[in-house]
Amino acid sequence: MTKVLAAIALLLFVAAWFTAVVAWFSAIVFAVKAVRRTQDGVRLWGRETLWNPANALLNPQLLTSEGLAYRRKCFIAIGVFFACVGVPLLVAAITGNLK
């Protein structure tokens, strides 16, 4: 029975890390899509974004409604990534397998 539980735990661990990788790339894609959908007149390499286009994600007033939807998806993907990485690490720390 112990080998069966170990196999299930390993499969869940691999699934969590695979989901984390997919969520990471999804967050990048959604972030780029959100940044490309700014309001008219907003310069990505200007003072509004402090000369960093990624800062448009932090200021929702700079984005269109479509950009806001991609921003929301990006933050959800980031949350999924942290959950998929954090939960297995937390389980490993609780069980004493974190070395």
Side-chain angles (χ1 to χ4, degrees):
M1 187 67 178
T2 309
K3 291 183 181 182
V4 172
L5 290 176
I8 291 172
L10 181 63
L11 286 174
L12 290 175
F13 181 76
V14 169
W17 281 96
F18 179 75
T19 306
V21 169
V22 171
W24 178 258
F25 286 114
S26 298
I28 292 171
V29 168
F30 290 138
V32 169
K33 285 185 174 188
V35 168
R36 293 182 53 99
R37 282 151 180 90
T38 56
Q39 300 272 345
D40 289 335
V42 174
R43 293 178 39 212
L44 289 178
W45 295 96
R47 188 172 193 150
E48 297 94 3
T49 61
L50 297 175
W51 295 274
N52 182 356
N55 284 340
L57 289 172
L58 302 176
N59 192 355
Q61 291 84 16
L62 300 178
L63 300 174
T64 63
S65 60
E66 191 178 0
L68 289 172
Y70 283 124
R71 176 182 183 258
R72 186 171 31 259
K73 290 178 184 179
C74 174
F75 288 147
I76 289 171
I78 290 170
V80 169
F81 171 78
F82 280 120
C84 288
V85 172
V87 169
L89 288 176
L90 182 65
V91 169
I94 290 173
T95 60
N97 292 325
L98 188 65
K99 293 180 182 181

